[in-house]
Amino acid sequence: MKNKIILMLMSFSLAVQAYGQDVLSGIVVDNLGKPVASAKVSLENSVAFTLTDEDGMFSITAPKGAGLFIETPTNDAKSIVVGDEKKIKVVMDYASKSVSVNPLIAGQTNEEATSAVATVDSEELMKSSALSIRNALFGKVLGLTALQGSGSTWDEKAALSIRGLQSLSGSGILVLVDGFERPIDDLTTEEVESVSILKDAAAVALYGHKGINGAILVKTKRGMYDAMNIDISYDHGFSKAVRLPKFVNAYTYAQAMNEAYRNDGKGVRYSQYELDAFRSGDLPYLYPDVDWMDETIGDMGHSNIYNISFQGGGKKMRYYTMLNLESSSGFFKNTDTNEGYSNQNEYSRGNIRANLDITISKTTNLQVNLLGILTEYNHSQPNKIMDNLYTLPAAAYPIKTEDGIWGGDLTWPGINPVANLQAKGYDRSHARTLMADMTLRQELDFITKGLGASLRLGYDNATTYWEVRSKSYKYASDVLNFENGLPANITRIGGGQDNELSFTKNMNGPMYRRFNFIAQLDYKKDFAKSKLYTTLMWHFNHSVQQNRHNTLNHVNFSSYTHYGILDRYFVDLALVGSASNRLPVNYKFTFSPTLSAAWVLSKESFLSDVSWINLLKLRASAGILHSDYVPEWNITSDAFGGGGNYFYGDNFNNYAGVAEGRLPTTNFKHERALKYNVGIDATFFGGLTFMGDVYFQRRDQIMVGQGGRTSSVLGLNPAYVPLGRVDSKGVELGLSYEKAHGDFLITGGARFTLAKNKVIEKLEQPVAEEYLRTTGLPMGQPFGLEAIGFFKDDADIASSPKQLFSEVAPGDIKYKDQNKDGFIDDNDKVAMGYNMGTPEGYYAFNAGIEYKGIGIDFLFQGATRYSAWLNAKSVYRPLAGNCTISEHYYANRWTPETPDALYPRLTSDSNPNNNQSSDLWLADASFLKLRHCEVYYKLPKAWINKVKMKSAKLYVRGMDLFSIDKMDIFDPEVIGVSYPADRSVHVGVRVGF
């Protein structure tokens, strides 16, 4: 009876307590006012939570003064204090967006982050129909430079760099997928939640040696609480090759060769009879006129992207699964002429992903990520085909002889591009990739509240092998012989032989295995006016790749602490010890400290009442990072090599001796980066966001050779020494706007990056003239001769400084004698232009407007302070070596009648004088491109709800539609003899259930 009374009193007490609490209802919306479904709403310091419904609504029992914590499915987070209101509206604005520099670190928001990080989310990425996620990043993330690559579809992935060129040892960046080092090329845009660019020392500190040049952190999509969303999409693309050079017809080629022969003092190459035959076209098998480019490159390529994904789950398990299929076919013509196979440039890939979050108990969580990829490539060696097209003149021979044999002769043997495309077989590769990782998280509140531990395991395996199915073909051409200047008889010239397909198999494709193990212990504590988060991590990375010296082991032991006071002063401290097997014995370990801080001015009393300022934050960081770069393995040991033959007794013996090679390094130091960054983050008027950073970096202790200060009399290769140094600095400015005005949704933005560098020391070899020094200039600074016109005549040549590269004639390039010594040689080359791999200036701007589901969106991206050499054969180096000639060159060549032409005289011989690097061949590669433009229609919910759909979107999208630049022929990003650049138009549909 006594126990029953006690239970009744306890129940009554709990009922009174519950009655005294208030039930709070509310809605969670994003910065555009759209409801956020499946957001987790919980009382701080409590395991109980509720979830928002599809309309963003929630209700929770929360007393006045309680702390409420809201977290969205994308980890955006916001804390509020419950007041007197019974209903609230929570806006997940810019300040509440999640910022992560490491998946194992407790999520921070933009408001309290102290590091320089820029992020683009999945909604922006999926505005691109690029088959490579690299190419979906053009101009979209502040601080990242992305430039179009060249080659086949699978090779044209954008080259990525962060804050420009940084070191003499290289500027390669680290790519992380869900915290593990993995290739970004293996991902599709569909499976990516966000891409973050980690730029300053504070952002990359925890990644040890590999993060020294910056990092890209890719976060894949995850499941959602109490939801089940199905997303289906299809995208079909039509692509067209652009900026292909036009080569002259047979008659013009024959005229050009005759002109070149006369310039070379050789008479003429083609008689008047032959010229007339080329012009009339009456003898196509003897005097052909073949447009090889038109016969080989078709009008249209195609691509397809199919996707279906499932996202949802309950309180115990959340899931994201996806099946994505991509395919692409190239521009080559008539590739299905062989039974059983195609010679087309084709690519197909299938990605299967499963991401699971499992709540094992209230204190134990398991995360599992699986990704399987199957890829197949099919081609007929496109680079060789393109080389054929840039070599073979229209007058060489017909595609086939009159009796059906492939065209060919002894001058241009076996380079018939149509035959090489259709009758040489094909190459096909198969790539298989598996990526798997798991994270086990255990809260240790039973020891002390706020303590937790995690274990992560990751394993990746990738293999590529090639099937080479080759064959050869018989070729021939007919030549008309002349007697006394008149046609006499026909001679057949031929070679090669027909055979069937042969098969070989090799494993020359990329292969690797990678294993990761991460152990972590962390502690989180909220005090009355401050909060603390601190963690210890141990990370072991083991990777094995093909070829020698490619088994790499890296270990990081790190401590990271984040401390905030009054929700407006934040400081982060990272202490990282790193080791690498690349480093010499006794030098395996480095220690790297980083300190960063942020001050949220908008929460100060003097700004807190300014309604139009939503966020105003200053931040700064400084740190010392180290690299495990070594120019050679075992540089601290003696190196020996073959000493050649030697005498033994009275005889010369053909035995290899042993000679000492490079001397050992006795004062090895780790390459070091001292990074400093100052930044500002701000949002105004509820939709205008600004981000700005100014940075400086000093890279020193770079291992460089001593060839510049050691005489060759020594007879040995001197040791490497840690005396290289490069300074870099830059500014990054970003502005974006996103806000709903009634039925209108308006978006826009602009981003600008300027990244400069200077080589301070690299032990440069002595130079004859001070202006020849590369020290003190940017890395990769081009040098060349200054062209001052063309030689007018023999008198002009006689009165000018002698040019030592080769004999010159009227119409050859005339150079400036920089040192006034009366000769033109390499000592007259001066610095000119800018780096040809990475522009110093990179910018983009975008805008979009949507009204009741109808919208248009576009993005322009450009580069400045960027150069390129014009040296493609036939286009800028015609005729010599039996090459053809472009229409552009022929129309702009020097002749006595056109002394102010763009290009030098025609010659059939190699001309070292005209082929020197000079400002005549240096082009300004700056450009502004329309990277994408999309017109779309989102079907009204009143329509789609009738068929149980949540969303439906139709779109037409153009990519790389045009470029504004100073290039005459080539695309500024794809210059030279290569598979062409393209523009594409895509039509697509996306529906959600």
Side-chain angles (χ1 to χ4, degrees):
M1 183 67 179
K2 182 178 180 181
N3 291 337
K4 290 182 178 180
I5 294 174
I6 293 174
L7 289 173
M8 290 175 63
L9 290 173
M10 291 178 63
S11 300
F12 179 75
S13 175
L14 291 172
V16 171
Q17 184 178 359
Y19 182 78
Q21 292 178 338
D22 297 319
V23 176
L24 180 68
S25 63
I27 183 173
V28 178
V29 298
D30 62 17
N31 61 317
L32 297 176
K34 298 177 182 178
V36 179
S38 298
K40 184 178 178 181
V41 183
S42 59
L43 291 175
E44 291 187 341
N45 301 317
S46 172
V47 296
F49 66 90
T50 188
L51 300 169
T52 59
D53 60 19
E54 290 186 0
D55 298 319
M57 304 297 295
F58 72 93
S59 62
I60 190 171
T61 302
K64 179 180 178 181
L68 206 62
F69 184 71
I70 300 94
E71 184 177 17
T72 72
T74 56
N75 291 332
D76 297 347
K78 194 166 194 174
S79 296
I80 62 173
V81 177
V82 178
D84 294 324
E85 61 270 47
K86 302 300 181 184
K87 293 184 178 180
I88 62 172
K89 182 179 181 180
V90 181
V91 180
M92 306 304 292
D93 52 15
Y94 172 80
S96 62
K97 283 191 174 295
S98 173
V99 175
S100 177
V101 297
N102 190 301
L104 282 178
I105 292 179
Q108 298 176 7
T109 63
N110 275 329
E111 185 174 71
E112 60 185 71
T114 64
S115 54
V117 179
T119 301
V120 59
D121 60 23
S122 60
E123 186 174 355
E124 281 296 315
L125 292 173
M126 288 193 293
K127 290 179 180 179
S128 170
S129 295
L131 297 180
S132 167
I133 192 173
R134 288 173 180 258
N135 294 9
L137 294 173
F138 292 125
K140 291 188 176 178
V141 203
L142 185 64
L144 178 71
T145 297
L147 295 172
Q148 176 69 59
S150 62
S152 303
T153 302
W154 54 88
D155 291 325
E156 64 178 11
K157 302 176 180 71
L160 306 178
S161 62
I162 296 174
R163 292 188 166 178
L165 302 176
Q166 302 185 36
S167 174
L168 299 170
S169 63
S171 302
I173 59 179
L174 175 66
V175 176
L176 302 141
V177 180
D178 292 328
F180 291 115
E181 183 181 3
R182 284 168 173 163
I184 195 172
D185 303 323
D186 291 329
L187 302 178
T188 66
T189 56
E190 295 287 345
E191 63 201 284
V192 173
E193 180 63 48
S194 64
V195 177
S196 297
I197 309 303
L198 314 184
K199 298 181 284 189
D200 66 344
V204 299
L206 297 175
Y207 298 106
H209 297 137
K210 293 190 174 185
I212 193 169
N213 294 324
I216 296 178
L217 178 59
V218 182
K219 178 184 174 185
T220 60
K221 294 177 180 177
R222 310 214 65 79
M224 303 172 67
Y225 285 100
D226 285 355
M228 189 188 78
N229 298 321
I230 302 174
D231 190 80
I232 301 173
S233 63
Y234 171 67
D235 181 291
H236 182 77
F238 306 87
S239 57
K240 181 177 180 61
V242 296
R243 299 288 188 100
L244 285 170
K246 293 184 178 296
F247 297 109
V248 298
N249 60 26
Y251 174 69
T252 306
Y253 169 78
Q255 286 186 308
M257 283 299 295
N258 282 351
E259 182 179 322
Y261 267 47
R262 287 192 293 267
N263 289 340
D264 298 334
K266 299 178 182 179
V268 295
R269 168 66 177 82
Y270 294 98
S271 68
Q272 188 60 48
Y273 178 93
E274 292 172 306
L275 290 175
D276 292 340
F278 281 127
R279 181 164 51 185
S280 68
D282 293 337
L283 302 171
Y285 293 103
L286 294 174
Y287 296 97
D289 185 6
V290 182
D291 186 339
W292 295 106
M293 192 72 75
D294 183 66
E295 294 291 341
T296 307
I297 303 296
D299 293 330
M300 201 73 66
H302 298 272
S303 66
N304 293 284
I305 304 175
Y306 310 84
N307 183 79
I308 181 169
S309 62
F310 303 86
Q311 186 178 35
K315 294 186 177 180
K316 291 295 183 181
M317 185 181 78
R318 280 80 60 203
Y319 58 85
Y320 173 79
T321 60
M322 179 209 70
L323 171 61
N324 181 275
L325 301 175
E326 297 179 346
S327 65
S328 173
S329 60
F331 309 115
F332 290 139
K333 278 185 176 180
N334 302 319
T335 55
D336 295 316
T337 58
N338 294 291
E339 184 176 352
Y341 66 90
S342 168
N343 299 84
Q344 186 58 270
N345 236 29
E346 294 177 323
Y347 157 82
S348 58
R349 181 176 70 176
N351 278 32
I352 303 176
R353 173 174 287 277
N355 289 351
L356 302 176
D357 292 272
I358 304 169
T359 302
I360 299 174
S361 70
K362 290 183 178 180
T363 60
T364 308
N365 292 280
L366 177 66
Q367 186 181 98
V368 178
N369 301 325
L370 298 171
L371 174 62
I373 308 167
L374 296 175
T375 310
E376 184 174 278
Y377 313 92
N378 187 92
H379 67 75
S380 295
Q381 300 181 331
N383 289 335
K384 290 186 179 180
I385 300 294
M386 298 307 297
D387 186 79
N388 296 162
L389 294 175
Y390 280 72
T391 300
L392 197 61
Y397 39 69
I399 298 174
K400 285 187 175 182
T401 63
E402 195 166 7
D403 53 348
I405 301 175
W406 288 111
D409 62 16
L410 300 182
T411 303
W412 296 280
I415 65 169
N416 182 329
V418 179
N420 288 338
L421 185 62
Q422 299 180 27
K424 287 281 286 185
Y426 64 97
D427 295 352
R428 181 171 295 163
S429 78
H430 306 271
R432 295 179 292 229
T433 303
L434 172 65
M435 298 181 183
D437 63 83
M438 60 162 285
T439 302
L440 182 64
R441 171 75 182 175
Q442 178 63 55
E443 305 299 335
L444 302 175
D445 289 346
F446 62 90
I447 298 177
T448 184
K449 189 172 181 58
L451 186 67
S454 300
L455 290 176
R456 298 197 79 188
L457 292 174
Y459 178 76
D460 303 337
N461 191 313
T463 302
T464 302
Y465 66 90
W466 284 89
E467 299 175 2
V468 180
R469 299 181 182 270
S470 58
K471 60 183 294 188
S472 62
Y473 58 86
K474 183 178 180 180
Y475 60 83
S477 62
D478 296 323
V479 178
L480 180 62
N481 299 312
F482 290 82
E483 292 181 4
N484 300 319
L486 297 175
N489 55 67
I490 296 174
T491 301
R492 169 152 290 190
I493 299 172
Q497 59 182 358
D498 292 322
N499 61 17
E500 298 300 321
L501 283 172
S502 63
F503 172 75
T504 59
K505 183 177 178 180
N506 63 59
M507 302 289 286
N508 290 332
M511 294 181 288
Y512 65 86
R513 300 191 311 274
R514 187 177 291 118
F515 171 76
N516 281 274
F517 175 79
I518 305 175
Q520 177 192 21
L521 184 68
D522 56 71
Y523 177 71
K524 185 177 182 180
K525 176 72 172 179
D526 289 347
F527 303 96
K529 295 184 178 181
S530 63
K531 56 184 178 181
L532 170 72
Y533 174 83
T534 186
T535 183
L536 295 173
M537 282 191 288
W538 185 77
H539 181 187
F540 172 70
N541 179 299
H542 170 76
S543 64
V544 180
Q545 301 183 55
Q546 64 192 92
N547 300 323
R548 296 177 58 192
H549 301 310
N550 273 338
T551 298
L552 301 177
N553 295 315
H554 291 87
V555 176
N556 291 326
F557 183 79
S558 55
S559 166
Y560 169 82
T561 300
H562 174 76
Y563 187 63
I565 303 174
L566 300 175
D567 285 332
R568 56 182 182 270
Y569 310 110
F570 302 95
V571 62
D572 289 5
L573 175 65
L575 304 173
V576 182
S578 303
S580 168
N581 71 326
R582 294 184 64 187
L583 295 167
V585 177
N586 301 324
Y587 298 95
K588 299 290 186 185
F589 182 83
T590 62
F591 174 70
S592 301
T594 299
L595 180 67
S596 57
W599 176 23
V600 184
L601 284 82
S602 51
K603 286 195 172 183
E604 296 289 356
S605 58
F606 56 85
L607 287 178
S608 59
D609 293 332
V610 182
S611 60
W612 58 273
I613 298 179
N614 308 111
L615 173 68
L616 180 60
K617 182 185 72 175
L618 299 178
R619 49 182 166 75
S621 68
I624 301 174
L625 304 181
H626 293 90
S627 166
D628 64 345
Y629 168 74
V630 289
E632 292 182 20
W633 286 80
N634 301 321
I635 66 169
T636 58
S637 303
D638 286 298
F640 296 93
N645 301 325
Y646 64 95
F647 281 99
Y648 179 75
D650 296 328
N651 299 314
F652 185 76
N653 292 275
N654 193 24
Y655 299 107
V658 176
E660 187 170 14
R662 171 193 35 81
L663 295 175
T665 296
T666 57
N667 62 333
F668 180 85
K669 291 183 180 179
H670 305 94
E671 181 177 340
R672 180 176 62 178
L674 295 89
K675 293 175 178 274
Y676 308 92
N677 192 96
V678 177
I680 181 172
D681 299 322
T683 55
F684 308 111
F685 306 107
L688 185 64
T689 301
F690 173 78
M691 176 183 289
D693 283 274
V694 177
Y695 68 88
F696 174 79
Q697 177 183 207
R698 171 163 294 170
R699 290 290 277 272
D700 61 7
Q701 300 181 176
I702 306 170
M703 301 301 297
V704 292
Q706 298 184 74
R709 68 175 188 178
T710 303
S711 171
S712 59
V713 175
L714 177 65
L716 297 170
N717 293 327
Y720 290 102
V721 290
L723 296 179
R725 176 183 153 191
V726 176
D727 289 350
S728 57
K729 59 185 177 181
V731 60
E732 298 163 350
L733 302 172
L735 190 69
S736 63
Y737 181 78
E738 188 175 37
K739 198 168 185 179
H741 298 270
D743 291 329
F744 287 90
L745 170 61
I746 300 175
T747 60
R751 290 157 292 283
F752 173 76
T753 297
L754 179 64
K756 305 185 71 175
N757 68 83
K758 181 189 291 187
V759 178
I760 305 301
E761 181 59 82
K762 66 174 186 178
L763 296 186
E764 186 175 2
Q765 294 186 5
V767 291
E769 306 290 344
E770 187 62 26
Y771 57 75
L772 294 171
R773 289 180 58 82
T774 59
T775 303
L777 299 176
M779 287 186 291
Q781 171 66 57
F783 276 74
L785 299 166
E786 184 179 346
I788 54 175
F790 304 107
F791 288 111
K792 300 176 183 178
D793 48 35
D794 292 336
D796 188 13
I797 295 172
S799 63
S800 300
K802 184 174 179 56
Q803 303 192 172
L804 302 180
F805 306 108
S806 62
E807 292 296 325
V808 295
D812 284 337
I813 305 174
K814 184 178 181 180
Y815 300 116
K816 183 178 180 180
D817 185 4
Q818 301 287 350
N819 57 8
K820 310 298 182 183
D821 64 355
F823 298 96
I824 306 296
D825 55 18
D826 286 338
N827 290 331
D828 293 296
K829 292 183 176 180
V830 296
M832 54 181 59
Y834 301 96
N835 189 277
M836 300 181 183
T838 304
E840 290 186 358
Y842 191 85
Y843 61 96
F845 55 90
N846 66 284
I849 185 169
E850 180 182 318
Y851 175 73
K852 293 185 176 181
I854 302 174
I856 182 171
D857 186 274
F858 64 84
L859 180 142
F860 284 89
Q861 180 266 308
T864 185
R865 300 172 71 88
Y866 186 38
S867 298
W869 288 122
L870 303 178
N871 53 16
K873 66 179 182 180
S874 298
V875 180
Y876 301 107
R877 303 286 192 272
L879 301 182
N882 294 317
C883 285
T884 186
I885 178 173
S886 65
E887 291 182 357
H888 173 73
Y889 194 104
Y890 187 76
N892 293 281
R893 74 197 187 283
W894 180 93
T895 66
E897 295 74 33
T898 57
D900 297 323
L902 291 179
Y903 305 121
R905 67 183 174 97
L906 297 181
T907 174
S908 61
D909 298 327
S910 174
N911 193 320
N913 181 83
N914 292 348
N915 294 344
Q916 293 296 310
S917 298
S918 73
D919 55 358
L920 188 144
W921 304 118
L922 186 67
D924 182 352
S926 301
F927 64 85
L928 175 63
K929 291 187 175 184
L930 178 57
R931 288 297 189 184
H932 82 247
C933 181
E934 179 184 68
V935 178
Y936 60 89
Y937 178 50
K938 297 177 180 178
L939 275 64
K941 287 190 176 294
W943 295 3
I944 61 178
N945 287 344
K946 296 178 180 179
V947 290
K948 308 300 181 183
M949 280 195 283
K950 295 180 180 178
S951 62
K953 175 183 176 181
L954 306 173
Y955 64 83
V956 177
R957 178 182 298 158
M959 297 177 60
D960 290 322
L961 293 181
F962 67 84
S963 173
I964 302 172
D965 55 66
K966 299 178 181 179
M967 304 295 292
D968 294 311
I969 295 178
F970 292 107
D971 183 282
E973 293 178 287
V974 184
I975 296 176
V977 182
S978 68
Y979 199 68
D982 66 88
R983 69 170 59 103
S984 60
V985 174
H986 300 253
V987 293
V989 58
R990 179 179 297 274
V991 296
F993 297 91

PDB file of all heavy atoms in Angstrom, residues 739-746 849-854:
ATOM      1  N   LYS A 739      17.035  35.797 -52.858  1.00  0.00           N
ATOM      2  CA  LYS A 739      15.891  36.226 -52.066  1.00  0.00           C
ATOM      3  C   LYS A 739      14.617  36.136 -52.885  1.00  0.00           C
ATOM      4  O   LYS A 739      14.624  36.320 -54.103  1.00  0.00           O
ATOM      5  CB  LYS A 739      16.091  37.664 -51.579  1.00  0.00           C
ATOM      6  CG  LYS A 739      15.182  38.053 -50.423  1.00  0.00           C
ATOM      7  CD  LYS A 739      15.605  39.358 -49.788  1.00  0.00           C
ATOM      8  CE  LYS A 739      14.760  39.669 -48.568  1.00  0.00           C
ATOM      9  NZ  LYS A 739      15.177  40.946 -47.926  1.00  0.00           N
ATOM     10  N   ALA A 740      13.531  35.822 -52.198  1.00  0.00           N
ATOM     11  CA  ALA A 740      12.217  35.757 -52.832  1.00  0.00           C
ATOM     12  C   ALA A 740      11.507  37.093 -52.656  1.00  0.00           C
ATOM     13  O   ALA A 740      11.494  37.653 -51.552  1.00  0.00           O
ATOM     14  CB  ALA A 740      11.393  34.638 -52.223  1.00  0.00           C
ATOM     15  N   HIS A 741      10.931  37.594 -53.752  1.00  0.00           N
ATOM     16  CA  HIS A 741      10.129  38.814 -53.726  1.00  0.00           C
ATOM     17  C   HIS A 741       8.765  38.474 -54.302  1.00  0.00           C
ATOM     18  O   HIS A 741       8.563  38.497 -55.524  1.00  0.00           O
ATOM     19  CB  HIS A 741      10.799  39.915 -54.546  1.00  0.00           C
ATOM     20  CG  HIS A 741      12.144  40.331 -54.051  1.00  0.00           C
ATOM     21  ND1 HIS A 741      12.331  41.340 -53.133  1.00  0.00           N
ATOM     22  CD2 HIS A 741      13.390  39.837 -54.334  1.00  0.00           C
ATOM     23  CE1 HIS A 741      13.617  41.480 -52.883  1.00  0.00           C
ATOM     24  NE2 HIS A 741      14.283  40.575 -53.593  1.00  0.00           N
ATOM     25  N   GLY A 742       7.835  38.123 -53.433  1.00  0.00           N
ATOM     26  CA  GLY A 742       6.535  37.686 -53.892  1.00  0.00           C
ATOM     27  C   GLY A 742       6.674  36.388 -54.674  1.00  0.00           C
ATOM     28  O   GLY A 742       7.235  35.396 -54.186  1.00  0.00           O
ATOM     29  N   ASP A 743       6.184  36.394 -55.903  1.00  0.00           N
ATOM     30  CA  ASP A 743       6.289  35.206 -56.751  1.00  0.00           C
ATOM     31  C   ASP A 743       7.616  35.123 -57.494  1.00  0.00           C
ATOM     32  O   ASP A 743       7.845  34.178 -58.258  1.00  0.00           O
ATOM     33  CB  ASP A 743       5.138  35.196 -57.774  1.00  0.00           C
ATOM     34  CG  ASP A 743       3.797  34.949 -57.107  1.00  0.00           C
ATOM     35  OD1 ASP A 743       3.773  34.243 -56.077  1.00  0.00           O
ATOM     36  OD2 ASP A 743       2.782  35.461 -57.619  1.00  0.00           O
ATOM     37  N   PHE A 744       8.463  36.111 -57.298  1.00  0.00           N
ATOM     38  CA  PHE A 744       9.758  36.127 -57.975  1.00  0.00           C
ATOM     39  C   PHE A 744      10.851  35.612 -57.042  1.00  0.00           C
ATOM     40  O   PHE A 744      10.904  35.991 -55.862  1.00  0.00           O
ATOM     41  CB  PHE A 744      10.122  37.540 -58.426  1.00  0.00           C
ATOM     42  CG  PHE A 744       9.331  38.037 -59.598  1.00  0.00           C
ATOM     43  CD1 PHE A 744       8.141  38.728 -59.398  1.00  0.00           C
ATOM     44  CD2 PHE A 744       9.762  37.796 -60.889  1.00  0.00           C
ATOM     45  CE1 PHE A 744       7.411  39.186 -60.476  1.00  0.00           C
ATOM     46  CE2 PHE A 744       9.033  38.251 -61.971  1.00  0.00           C
ATOM     47  CZ  PHE A 744       7.852  38.948 -61.775  1.00  0.00           C
ATOM     48  N   LEU A 745      11.706  34.778 -57.579  1.00  0.00           N
ATOM     49  CA  LEU A 745      12.916  34.346 -56.885  1.00  0.00           C
ATOM     50  C   LEU A 745      14.104  34.868 -57.687  1.00  0.00           C
ATOM     51  O   LEU A 745      14.268  34.531 -58.869  1.00  0.00           O
ATOM     52  CB  LEU A 745      12.985  32.819 -56.791  1.00  0.00           C
ATOM     53  CG  LEU A 745      14.311  32.232 -56.299  1.00  0.00           C
ATOM     54  CD1 LEU A 745      14.626  32.714 -54.892  1.00  0.00           C
ATOM     55  CD2 LEU A 745      14.275  30.710 -56.359  1.00  0.00           C
ATOM     56  N   ILE A 746      14.918  35.681 -57.070  1.00  0.00           N
ATOM     57  CA  ILE A 746      16.042  36.318 -57.750  1.00  0.00           C
ATOM     58  C   ILE A 746      17.350  35.832 -57.124  1.00  0.00           C
ATOM     59  O   ILE A 746      17.508  35.853 -55.904  1.00  0.00           O
ATOM     60  CB  ILE A 746      15.945  37.850 -57.662  1.00  0.00           C
ATOM     61  CG1 ILE A 746      14.650  38.328 -58.328  1.00  0.00           C
ATOM     62  CG2 ILE A 746      17.158  38.498 -58.328  1.00  0.00           C
ATOM     63  CD1 ILE A 746      14.409  39.811 -58.174  1.00  0.00           C
ATOM     64  N   ILE A 849      16.469  34.225 -62.465  1.00  0.00           N
ATOM     65  CA  ILE A 849      15.169  34.715 -62.027  1.00  0.00           C
ATOM     66  C   ILE A 849      14.125  33.638 -62.294  1.00  0.00           C
ATOM     67  O   ILE A 849      14.160  32.968 -63.339  1.00  0.00           O
ATOM     68  CB  ILE A 849      14.797  36.039 -62.737  1.00  0.00           C
ATOM     69  CG1 ILE A 849      13.490  36.589 -62.170  1.00  0.00           C
ATOM     70  CG2 ILE A 849      14.727  35.863 -64.247  1.00  0.00           C
ATOM     71  CD1 ILE A 849      13.192  38.012 -62.631  1.00  0.00           C
ATOM     72  N   GLU A 850      13.228  33.463 -61.348  1.00  0.00           N
ATOM     73  CA  GLU A 850      12.170  32.472 -61.473  1.00  0.00           C
ATOM     74  C   GLU A 850      10.845  33.118 -61.089  1.00  0.00           C
ATOM     75  O   GLU A 850      10.755  33.857 -60.090  1.00  0.00           O
ATOM     76  CB  GLU A 850      12.445  31.280 -60.560  1.00  0.00           C
ATOM     77  CG  GLU A 850      11.385  30.190 -60.621  1.00  0.00           C
ATOM     78  CD  GLU A 850      11.670  29.049 -59.658  1.00  0.00           C
ATOM     79  OE1 GLU A 850      12.850  28.642 -59.555  1.00  0.00           O
ATOM     80  OE2 GLU A 850      10.714  28.569 -59.011  1.00  0.00           O
ATOM     81  N   TYR A 851       9.829  32.836 -61.897  1.00  0.00           N
ATOM     82  CA  TYR A 851       8.495  33.352 -61.620  1.00  0.00           C
ATOM     83  C   TYR A 851       7.485  32.225 -61.792  1.00  0.00           C
ATOM     84  O   TYR A 851       7.319  31.697 -62.901  1.00  0.00           O
ATOM     85  CB  TYR A 851       8.153  34.517 -62.561  1.00  0.00           C
ATOM     86  CG  TYR A 851       6.741  35.029 -62.417  1.00  0.00           C
ATOM     87  CD1 TYR A 851       6.368  35.772 -61.298  1.00  0.00           C
ATOM     88  CD2 TYR A 851       5.791  34.769 -63.389  1.00  0.00           C
ATOM     89  CE1 TYR A 851       5.069  36.251 -61.163  1.00  0.00           C
ATOM     90  CE2 TYR A 851       4.492  35.248 -63.270  1.00  0.00           C
ATOM     91  CZ  TYR A 851       4.136  35.977 -62.145  1.00  0.00           C
ATOM     92  OH  TYR A 851       2.842  36.444 -62.003  1.00  0.00           O
ATOM     93  N   LYS A 852       6.863  31.840 -60.687  1.00  0.00           N
ATOM     94  CA  LYS A 852       5.847  30.792 -60.678  1.00  0.00           C
ATOM     95  C   LYS A 852       6.320  29.537 -61.408  1.00  0.00           C
ATOM     96  O   LYS A 852       5.593  28.948 -62.215  1.00  0.00           O
ATOM     97  CB  LYS A 852       4.540  31.310 -61.286  1.00  0.00           C
ATOM     98  CG  LYS A 852       3.874  32.393 -60.445  1.00  0.00           C
ATOM     99  CD  LYS A 852       2.519  32.795 -61.002  1.00  0.00           C
ATOM    100  CE  LYS A 852       1.839  33.806 -60.088  1.00  0.00           C
ATOM    101  NZ  LYS A 852       0.504  34.213 -60.596  1.00  0.00           N
ATOM    102  N   GLY A 853       7.549  29.156 -61.136  1.00  0.00           N
ATOM    103  CA  GLY A 853       8.095  27.914 -61.674  1.00  0.00           C
ATOM    104  C   GLY A 853       8.814  28.045 -62.990  1.00  0.00           C
ATOM    105  O   GLY A 853       9.519  27.121 -63.414  1.00  0.00           O
ATOM    106  N   ILE A 854       8.679  29.184 -63.686  1.00  0.00           N
ATOM    107  CA  ILE A 854       9.382  29.405 -64.946  1.00  0.00           C
ATOM    108  C   ILE A 854      10.634  30.214 -64.649  1.00  0.00           C
ATOM    109  O   ILE A 854      10.570  31.270 -64.014  1.00  0.00           O
ATOM    110  CB  ILE A 854       8.505  30.143 -65.966  1.00  0.00           C
ATOM    111  CG1 ILE A 854       7.219  29.347 -66.235  1.00  0.00           C
ATOM    112  CG2 ILE A 854       9.260  30.385 -67.259  1.00  0.00           C
ATOM    113  CD1 ILE A 854       6.243  30.088 -67.116  1.00  0.00           C
TER     114      ILE A 854
END
